[in-house]
Amino acid sequence: MRKSSARHIILILWGVVLLFSACKRNQDAASEKIKERKHSKEAITITESESFDIGKIDTAYYYYGLLEDSCFYFKVNAADQQTISGHYYPVDGSVWLEAVPFTISYRDKKYYFKANGEEKSIRFSVTIDTSSFFGEFSTDPAGLLTRSFFFERYYEPKYQDFATKRFKESIFQAQVKPDVVYGTAKGYWCSYPMNDTKYLKMLTSTLGKTASRRNLDLTMDVYMPEDDTLDRHPLIVFLHGGAFYFGDKGATTMSEWCKHFAETGYVTASINYRLGFQISRASIQRCGYMAIQDAHAALRFLVANAKEYGIDTNAIFVAGTSAGAITALNVALTTNATCPAFVQEHNLTQKCGRLEDSGNSLKNKFKVKAIANMWGALYDLAVLKNKRIPVISFHGTEDHIVPYDEGYPFSSLKSNIGERLFDKMYGSKAIHERMNELHIHNQFFPIEGMGHSPYEDADGHLNHNYYFIQNKIQNFFLDILCGNCSVGYDKKNPTRFTLSNSNIAQTSWKVEGGFITESTPGEIQVLWRKNAPKHTVTASCLLKNGASSTKKITLKRSK
């Protein structure tokens, strides 16, 4: 090391006068540190009698160390040929470290240290190593009363930004496994793609097909991110709409969403479920119940085959439109004990089996993390408190097929047909308001002036609402995946910052305006420089499910 590197000695001298009155004569911590220190081959020792250019002092780093038994941080802020200036921070038990300005000057072949309005000449002997310095000094002209010091360069833990495009952008190709059979059940049909024919005409033209039930294969299309290194992926199950009479898993609205979310890193599935009913309230109710059973069977199947499809069974989401949204809400929220009243009224449990008794014999359990409800509804708002599952909802404010607020489906039909054939239902606005009352996490996006299926134009093409909904669902589900990645701390004593999410795989921390004194993946300890213009904590997290989250906290400066 060149002798000019001796400039580092100046950085320690500011503490000499400061601590003079507090220093002890007995063996101190700094002396012990010096004894333990092993010098590198580049280490050199300098005294005040040797000249060096103090204008070359390094102003880039903070240093931390001991003056006998007292701890300090300090930094040189400016230096010229005759003087250096900076601040030191006594570590005195306070969270907010007070900055004490100091100067060291060289004149008349002597070095002078000035702080707190007092200036004294100093004598010293310092050993300078690659990133530390240590030695003794004295303000006694005779050099009889010496004090030891030991300082090392302060290095903040290296910060790594774990931000990833996963679950945010399309980064994979979607691999599709079509027509996967997840069960069998008796019903009328499982697929009836919509066409340009008017709804009522299609309905009346198929009534003859509801004379008897037959055995049906229940199928799904499974979409997976191709060539992904992650073993387990969150799952989204999509359920198409169609008034429990029409629809198919291959509808463009469903297949495009399945493809998109698989390309971002999810496993997705679009399922067919039993459709069709006779023109009676009881038959329509039974059809709705069987759809819930089929969705239940599909989820049990996917959980049972999680390894084959690469599914994280702790991260299951359901999403649906119209009748599919009604089904999604109920499969997530309803239990056998809380089924709609008509289930007991018509003894559907005896006629059709319990929720988990149809479709397949699998007994696998599942838990839904969140629901995307697109112009769906519930028979009873009381089920919302069963499991307190987050819901994101979308609904056209002029929807007369499924009530926007509360009412009967198909309310615009003549002769009160909707009220005569369907039960009263509570739409997305009512769901949102009740969830707010229950303090359950939810979001609601009314689509002003739009009717049913507001994501399609009159000609059936996807419109801007489709992609608006897609983006909102993507962000909502990602927030759920990230879980409680918020940073916890005591606002009155902001020295300890923690992350308690057990799903975190890696964490990186950084602070602005302070010193990280201790660091583990889930926690840091910080001391703050009171004079810093900003005081922030940033935590970047990579979760086990592949999601990433970055949280930043800005503290109010202590007065």
Side-chain angles (χ1 to χ4, degrees):
M1 179 181 290
R2 294 184 305 169
K3 220 168 190 181
S4 62
S5 297
R7 61 183 182 272
H8 292 359
I9 185 174
I10 301 301
L11 302 180
I12 59 120
L13 299 179
W14 51 266
V16 174
V17 175
L18 171 72
L19 297 179
F20 180 77
S21 62
C23 291
K24 302 176 183 178
R25 293 180 178 274
N26 60 337
Q27 193 68 29
D28 54 69
S31 298
E32 292 299 320
K33 269 281 191 183
I34 293 171
K35 288 180 180 180
E36 297 170 3
R37 183 72 178 187
K38 293 183 179 180
H39 300 180
S40 72
K41 294 180 179 180
E42 296 182 344
I44 61 171
T45 299
I46 299 174
T47 67
E48 79 282 353
S49 62
E50 301 180 59
S51 64
F52 52 87
D53 186 356
I54 64 175
K56 294 182 179 180
I57 294 297
D58 185 359
T59 59
Y61 293 97
Y62 283 92
Y63 280 77
Y64 170 75
L66 295 163
L67 186 54
E68 296 200 327
D69 288 326
S70 298
C71 300
F72 292 86
Y73 288 91
F74 73 89
K75 185 177 184 294
V76 173
N77 298 323
D80 58 32
Q81 292 183 350
Q82 299 297 322
T83 306
I84 65 172
S85 60
H87 290 86
Y88 64 82
Y89 303 85
V91 180
D92 56 4
S94 172
V95 175
W96 299 94
L97 304 183
E98 294 282 357
V100 180
F102 73 89
T103 60
I104 296 176
S105 58
Y106 180 72
R107 63 182 185 271
D108 301 327
K109 297 183 180 182
K110 290 184 179 180
Y111 289 94
Y112 294 88
F113 176 83
K114 183 177 181 180
N116 294 318
E118 185 178 5
E119 183 178 68
K120 290 187 178 183
S121 64
I122 50 177
R123 304 177 69 179
F124 56 84
S125 173
V126 58
T127 298
I128 304 171
D129 215 332
T130 52
S131 61
S132 66
F133 52 90
F134 46 89
E136 295 180 335
F137 72 90
S138 176
T139 56
D140 173 16
L144 299 177
L145 299 175
T146 61
R147 303 292 181 260
S148 57
F149 56 84
F150 182 95
F151 285 91
E152 293 183 295
R153 188 177 291 172
Y154 166 75
Y155 291 104
E156 186 170 304
K158 185 177 180 181
Y159 177 74
Q160 182 177 355
D161 187 351
F162 290 113
T164 174
K165 295 180 179 180
R166 183 183 290 275
F167 310 130
K168 301 174 185 176
E169 298 179 23
S170 295
I171 56 176
F172 302 102
Q173 293 292 321
Q175 176 187 0
V176 186
K177 287 190 175 182
D179 300 319
V180 175
V181 177
Y182 67 86
T184 58
K186 283 188 176 295
Y188 298 127
W189 56 82
C190 288
S191 173
Y192 192 166
M194 296 287 286
N195 56 40
D196 294 335
T197 307
K198 289 187 177 180
Y199 180 84
L200 284 178
K201 187 174 181 179
M202 290 182 67
L203 180 64
T204 55
S205 67
T206 56
L207 290 179
K209 295 182 179 180
T210 60
S212 62
R213 295 184 179 85
R214 57 191 177 90
N215 288 326
L216 301 170
D217 282 339
L218 306 174
T219 61
M220 66 172 71
D221 298 335
V222 182
Y223 298 71
M224 296 169 288
E226 194 170 7
D227 298 325
D228 189 7
T229 56
L230 200 66
D231 293 331
R232 301 189 306 158
H233 307 78
L235 167 70
I236 308 176
V237 173
F238 285 92
L239 296 107
H240 64 79
F244 297 108
Y245 205 89
F246 308 102
D248 182 77
K249 59 183 172 57
T252 301
T253 51
M254 296 295 103
S255 62
E256 286 299 307
W257 270 337
C258 281
K259 180 182 177 183
H260 168 77
F261 282 95
E263 288 173 350
T264 69
Y266 288 87
V267 169
T268 60
S270 179
I271 75 167
N272 276 345
Y273 51 92
R274 284 173 288 176
L275 302 170
F277 49 79
Q278 298 171 347
I279 306 301
S280 71
R281 181 188 291 264
S283 182
I284 292 170
Q285 291 169 338
R286 180 171 183 158
C287 182
Y289 179 71
M290 290 190 297
I292 302 170
Q293 286 183 311
D294 293 349
H296 205 288
L299 285 163
R300 295 197 308 272
F301 173 87
L302 288 165
V303 170
N305 294 276
K307 187 174 182 180
E308 178 181 350
Y309 296 113
I311 294 170
D312 179 0
T313 57
N314 293 313
I316 296 175
F317 301 86
V318 293
T321 60
S322 191
I326 294 171
T327 306
L329 287 162
N330 278 282
V331 77
L333 297 167
T334 302
T335 65
N336 287 304
T338 61
C339 279
F342 62 75
V343 174
Q344 300 298 328
E345 180 183 340
H346 298 296
N347 201 22
L348 292 184
T349 303
Q350 293 296 320
K351 295 176 181 178
C352 303
R354 295 176 302 170
L355 289 173
E356 64 273 17
D357 288 345
S358 182
N360 57 51
S361 60
L362 298 169
K363 303 300 181 184
N364 302 80
K365 305 292 183 182
F366 61 86
K367 182 178 180 181
V368 173
K369 288 189 77 72
I371 307 162
N373 160 43
M374 289 159 276
W375 39 101
L378 282 168
Y379 299 104
D380 185 356
L381 294 176
V383 299
L384 289 168
K385 62 184 179 182
N386 288 347
K387 301 177 183 178
R388 303 184 66 84
I389 298 173
V391 179
I392 182 170
S393 298
F394 308 85
H395 216 125
T397 58
E398 301 302 317
D399 191 345
H400 299 294
I401 294 179
V402 176
Y404 168 72
D405 189 356
E406 60 179 87
Y408 293 91
F410 297 95
S411 60
S412 61
L413 295 180
K414 296 179 180 179
S415 304
N416 294 326
I417 291 177
E419 188 172 344
R420 291 163 59 187
L421 290 178
F422 298 94
D423 294 278
K424 183 178 180 180
M425 302 195 78
Y426 299 87
S428 301
K429 181 176 182 290
I431 290 171
H432 166 66
E433 291 174 348
R434 183 59 178 145
M435 293 189 77
N436 283 350
E437 292 172 1
L438 294 169
H439 303 290
I440 301 173
H441 179 45
N442 78 102
Q443 292 181 6
F444 176 45
F445 297 93
I447 303 179
E448 296 294 334
M450 298 294 288
H452 201 63
S453 299
Y455 61 177
E456 290 180 314
D457 293 332
D459 57 5
H461 295 156
L462 305 180
N463 61 25
H464 68 281
N465 286 326
Y466 182 88
Y467 300 101
F468 169 81
I469 292 167
Q470 173 180 288
N471 183 62
K472 293 299 181 182
I473 292 174
Q474 185 169 288
N475 292 339
F476 188 79
F477 284 2
L478 179 58
D479 286 344
I480 301 298
L481 280 176
C482 291
N484 183 22
C485 278
S486 59
V487 178
Y489 68 103
D490 182 350
K491 292 182 179 180
K492 294 183 179 179
N493 187 36
T495 184
R496 179 174 175 263
F497 298 84
T498 60
L499 287 165
S500 58
N501 191 328
S502 61
N503 193 36
I504 294 175
Q506 298 182 67
T507 305
S508 187
W509 298 87
K510 69 176 178 180
V511 302
E512 184 179 5
F515 304 106
I516 297 177
T517 60
E518 295 182 32
S519 177
T520 66
E523 178 181 332
I524 57 170
Q525 299 276 352
V526 181
L527 293 175
W528 297 102
R529 300 190 297 276
K530 193 174 181 179
N531 67 330
K534 292 182 180 179
H535 301 99
T536 66
V537 175
T538 302
S540 182
C541 308
L542 181 65
L543 284 79
K544 295 174 184 177
N545 58 26
S548 62
S549 176
T550 299
K551 301 295 182 182
K552 184 176 181 178
I553 292 174
T554 300
L555 304 180
K556 292 183 179 180
R557 191 184 307 181
S558 177
K559 296 182 180 180

